[in-house]
Amino acid sequence: MSRRAARPVGDDTVVLGIETSCDETAAAVLLGPSDVLSSVVSSQIDRHARFGGVVPEIASRAHIELITPVVAQAVIEAGIEDGRIDAVAATVGPGLIGALLVGVSAAKALALAWDVPFVAVNHLEAHLYAAFLEEPDLELPLVVLLVSGGHTMLVAVEGHGRYRLLGQTVDDAAGEAFDKVARFLGLGYPGGPAIDRVARDGDPAAIAFPRALLHEGLDFSFSGLKTAVVNHVRAHPDVSTADVAASFQEAVVDVLVTKARRAADGLGARALALGGGVAANSLLRDRFLDACAQDGRRGFLPSRALCTDNAAMIAVAGWHRLREHGPSPLDVGADPNLRLPLL
Ligand code: KG4
Ligand code: ZN
């Protein structure tokens, strides 16, 4: 355990965050709970695009190449001395095991070399914390709609580290649906931003795609929608791709916003926030804010760069974890199936 482990965590604590769970190599330096001194994200998109998705072995190798320059750039851009870093936080899961191991090993090595605490961070918890980074005073309980490539969940945040799962997908994640539909439509990878772009020229009312479970509870299902898109395009080969993209996006956003609202109503929550890569979607952002305004509820949208994978969110989750629970032991391993700790 580090000599400096006992130092109190406060507004002057500097945390280096490292994220390598999927296809972004990222490092960020955070001062206190909300002052991002630097945030570097090196995307590997061009290395995976021609395969139509993330190739785990390519991701691991790319992280190995990129981790040192990305961390160095984050430290340089932060304008601080190495000796000023008080803790190193890294994503330990969920994610691709070979990818996670690169960031976890680098973080442990730096923590050992600098004699500072290592902090193991849950990637999903970090997505929730992205909201608090820009808006530390969000009212609790806060309902967060966490929509990423691997997860779709509605979470009630009752306090730091206190989460209740309100609903989740029973099959595909929302981002996965965007990626699969984009791939089928030949729009390339990653699919979410491509559909977002193409949908601007389409008619969202052109095709009435199904909204699974719309009137029931808080769980989601997107695999039927994906099949409906495939069946529609096969039956109408001349259909406009923009209309399909716009109608698909409309169906996803309709379900996401309806359920987020229902969850916040059920809990009497005064605030609702978005998190995860799909929260960068333009239509979702607009509809979400409209719904919150209509309901007289505080709606918070993290900036797009904080919605998709980044290390600033890892650093802030690490800052809070260090303050509440102290350092993590150096024998904590990476866990590809790590779950959100629930009440
Ligand atoms: O949170 P994230 O960066 O990585 C994971 O933890 O999964 O989310 C990536 C997902 C991908 O499925 C990507 O297609 C989706 O977020 N995404 C979007 C948009 N930007 C990224 N989906 C819809 N519209 C977007 N603008
Ligand atoms: Zn993510």
Side-chain angles (χ1 to χ4, degrees):
M1 192 65 54
S2 149
R3 247 182 318 116
R4 291 165 57 178
R7 223 182 117 169
V9 178
D11 287 347
D12 62 344
T13 302
V14 177
V15 176
L16 168 68
I18 293 179
E19 156 63 34
T20 63
S21 67
C22 190
D23 60 343
E24 257 99 28
T25 315
V29 178
L30 182 76
L31 169 65
S34 57
D35 189 359
V36 181
L37 300 180
S38 66
S39 180
V40 178
V41 180
S42 175
S43 171
Q44 307 171 3
I45 283 175
D46 29 343
R47 302 187 193 217
H48 300 282
R50 69 194 168 103
F51 301 102
V54 177
V55 183
E57 181 62 20
I58 293 178
S60 314
R61 286 168 190 244
H63 285 308
I64 290 171
E65 265 175 51
L66 295 165
I67 189 76
T68 304
V70 165
V71 168
Q73 192 181 337
V75 173
I76 291 166
E77 282 183 13
I80 50 158
E81 302 286 317
D82 284 4
R84 187 61 188 85
I85 290 170
D86 297 304
V88 185
T91 306
V92 295
L96 302 168
I97 185 67
L100 290 165
L101 281 171
V102 178
V104 171
S105 309
K108 288 179 180 174
L110 289 170
L112 265 178
W114 292 336
D115 192 22
V116 297
F118 162 72
V119 190
V121 169
N122 180 315
H123 183 87
L124 298 172
E125 194 170 13
H127 271 303
L128 299 178
Y129 269 105
F132 292 99
L133 193 49
E134 288 174 314
E135 208 60 63
D137 300 324
L138 282 171
E139 266 183 78
L140 301 176
L142 169 74
V143 172
V144 182
L145 171 64
L146 177 52
V147 269
S148 71
H151 297 86
T152 297
M153 38 175 78
L154 275 162
V155 179
V157 179
E158 297 183 359
H160 292 297
R162 297 177 55 78
Y163 315 116
R164 222 174 272 284
L165 184 64
L166 305 173
Q168 62 184 331
T169 184
V170 297
D171 42 53
D172 291 354
E176 193 179 351
F178 269 97
D179 293 335
K180 286 179 175 169
V181 165
R183 188 172 178 170
F184 173 71
L185 295 176
L187 297 176
Y189 169 83
I195 289 191
D196 197 338
R197 215 168 31 246
V198 172
R200 280 180 210 143
D201 300 322
D203 174 6
I207 309 150
F209 284 129
R211 273 95 163 132
L213 308 177
L214 185 66
H215 303 291
E216 292 154 51
L218 298 172
D219 283 338
F220 303 88
S221 166
F222 293 109
S223 78
L225 172 59
K226 177 193 64 194
T227 310
V229 171
V230 172
N231 290 342
H232 186 90
V233 173
R234 291 207 171 125
H236 307 86
D238 297 329
V239 68
S240 140
T241 299
D243 284 353
V244 175
S247 302
F248 160 78
Q249 182 174 263
E250 180 76 23
V252 174
V253 169
D254 191 9
V255 174
L256 291 177
V257 172
T258 302
K259 302 243 171 182
R261 239 172 159 166
R262 185 177 296 151
D265 285 347
L267 219 73
R270 306 275 303 278
L272 192 53
L274 288 180
V278 181
N281 183 265
S282 315
L283 184 72
L284 177 58
R285 295 173 81 83
D286 289 351
R287 288 285 167 78
F288 174 82
L289 286 183
D290 289 350
C292 289
Q294 272 175 26
D295 298 345
R297 184 176 289 130
R298 173 98 191 271
F300 182 69
L301 288 176
S303 56
R304 279 186 164 82
L306 284 177
C307 290
T308 49
D309 286 349
N310 66 88
M313 69 181 192
I314 306 303
V316 67
W319 186 93
H320 284 284
R321 171 154 284 274
L322 185 64
R323 197 178 57 158
E324 307 285 323
H325 304 285
S328 308
L330 282 175
D331 60 359
V332 168
D335 180 355
N337 302 313
L338 191 66
R339 289 163 178 265
L340 194 64
L342 297 171
L343 289 172

